[in-house]
């Protein structure tokens, strides 16, 4: 894929953190995911999608939630060490390599990305890529650390998605988004 530039420092950071990530951040991430699950249930009830991608799956904490709302779970992460741990956590998950992302355009019903895009060199490129990976009217559940502020995220997100729900969690902004029909 031409449009996913990432910072090697982020890769190194997460490769080095992988063994202790769950211990350090498991509780914090699970708290966010419980909120995401509550909102999901309110909006979609017991709906289960066919194909879902965890974009920045990390050690798979978020992929466990994805496996509740999608029959097929695909996982993608720039850190090989993180994705190795995720593979053990969600046994049926299908790992996607960065160079293979181009084979999945218009493929996913739902993309989940929890606490990922704030680390990106160019989050707009990731959002554009996710837009392309989703089917028409696909759902993106996006959670980002608050550090860049809402004034940064909202206009960027609105270029590609319609916001159907927004929630301000302690550390993250959580968005439920539907892919725009036309850009
Ligand atoms: C804070 S962790 C979150 C992991 C998981 N989603 C969770 O909720 O626990 C961020 C993860 O995103 C990955 N990541 C960062 N930038 C990325 C990018 N542009 N594309 C894919 N993965 C990325 C990192 O390697 C790391 O595993």
């Amino acid at each position: 894929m031409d449009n996913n530039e990432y910072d090697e420092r982020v890769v190194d950071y997460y490769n080095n953190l992988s063994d202790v990530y769950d211990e350090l951040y498991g509780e914090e991430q699970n708290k966010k995911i419980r909120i995401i699950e509550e909102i999901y249930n309110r909006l979609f009830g017991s709906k289960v999608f066919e194909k879902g991608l965890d974009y920045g799956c990390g050690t798979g904490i978020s992929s466990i939630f994805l496996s509740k709302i999608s029959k097929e779970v695909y996982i993608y992460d720039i850190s090989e060490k993180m994705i190795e741990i995720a593979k053990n956590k969600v046994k049926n998950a299908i790992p996607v390599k960065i160079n293979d992302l181009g084979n999945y355009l218009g493929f996913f019903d739902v993309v989940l990305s929890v606490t990922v895009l704030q680390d990106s060199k160019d989050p707009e490129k990731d959002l554009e890529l996710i837009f392309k990976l989703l089917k028409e009217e696909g759902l993106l559940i996006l959670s980002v650390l608050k550090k860049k502020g809402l004034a940064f995220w909202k206009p960027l997100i609105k270029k590609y998605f319609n916001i159907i729900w927004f929630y301000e969690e302690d550390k993250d902004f959580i968005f439920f988004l539907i892919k725009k029909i036309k850009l």
Side-chain angles (χ1 to χ4, degrees):
M1 270 325 265
D2 57 343
N3 56 344
N4 194 303
E5 285 177 28
Y6 55 85
D7 193 331
E8 284 297 338
R9 283 171 304 183
V10 176
V11 178
D12 288 344
Y13 176 78
Y14 282 106
N15 276 340
N16 291 329
L17 193 68
S18 57
D19 286 339
V20 288
Y21 180 84
D22 285 5
E23 203 181 314
L24 291 178
Y25 296 109
E27 203 176 314
E28 184 177 316
Q29 292 310 102
N30 274 318
K31 179 173 167 276
K32 294 172 193 174
I33 288 158
R34 274 198 300 276
I35 291 169
I36 290 172
E37 190 165 1
E38 274 173 33
I39 300 171
Y40 181 89
N41 291 339
R42 213 178 304 157
L43 293 176
F44 298 100
S46 56
K47 183 177 170 74
V48 177
F49 290 95
E50 289 296 320
K51 294 178 190 332
L53 172 69
D54 191 355
Y55 189 97
C57 62
T59 58
I61 295 173
S62 43
S63 319
I64 293 171
F65 165 64
L66 185 62
S67 72
K68 295 184 190 174
I69 65 162
S70 180
K71 287 183 193 160
E72 290 176 23
V73 173
Y74 293 73
I75 52 175
Y76 165 65
D77 201 287
I78 55 174
S79 157
E80 289 133 43
K81 293 220 171 156
M82 294 292 266
I83 207 167
E84 277 310 311
I85 298 173
K87 276 194 228 167
N88 290 327
K89 214 173 265 158
V90 184
K91 294 286 181 212
N92 297 329
I94 303 159
V96 180
K97 294 209 161 67
I98 186 164
N99 291 332
D100 294 334
L101 281 171
N103 300 330
Y104 292 92
L105 304 183
F107 184 80
F108 295 105
D109 302 286
V110 56
V111 173
L112 173 70
S113 184
V114 183
T115 324
V116 178
L117 294 197
Q118 74 285 328
D119 290 329
S120 176
K121 248 188 191 172
D122 187 346
E124 176 158 6
K125 285 200 171 160
D126 291 89
L127 282 174
E128 193 186 0
L129 173 58
I130 293 171
F131 174 90
K132 289 179 182 168
L133 293 169
L134 279 167
K135 288 180 186 167
E136 291 301 310
E137 295 186 22
L139 171 69
L140 168 60
I141 304 173
L142 177 70
S143 182
V144 287
L145 279 183
K146 287 178 177 177
K147 58 187 177 187
K148 286 195 164 103
L150 206 50
F152 173 85
W153 287 107
K154 254 198 175 162
L156 208 60
I157 287 169
K158 282 171 127 179
K159 275 179 83 171
Y160 300 94
F161 297 93
N162 292 316
I163 300 173
I164 58 166
W165 201 269
F166 170 73
Y167 184 86
E168 194 169 338
E169 195 260 350
D170 287 347
K171 306 231 168 176
D172 279 31
F173 296 128
I174 298 172
F175 299 89
F176 277 65
L177 304 162
I178 300 289
K179 176 174 167 165
K180 276 192 171 172
I181 294 170
K182 273 190 179 163
L183 290 185

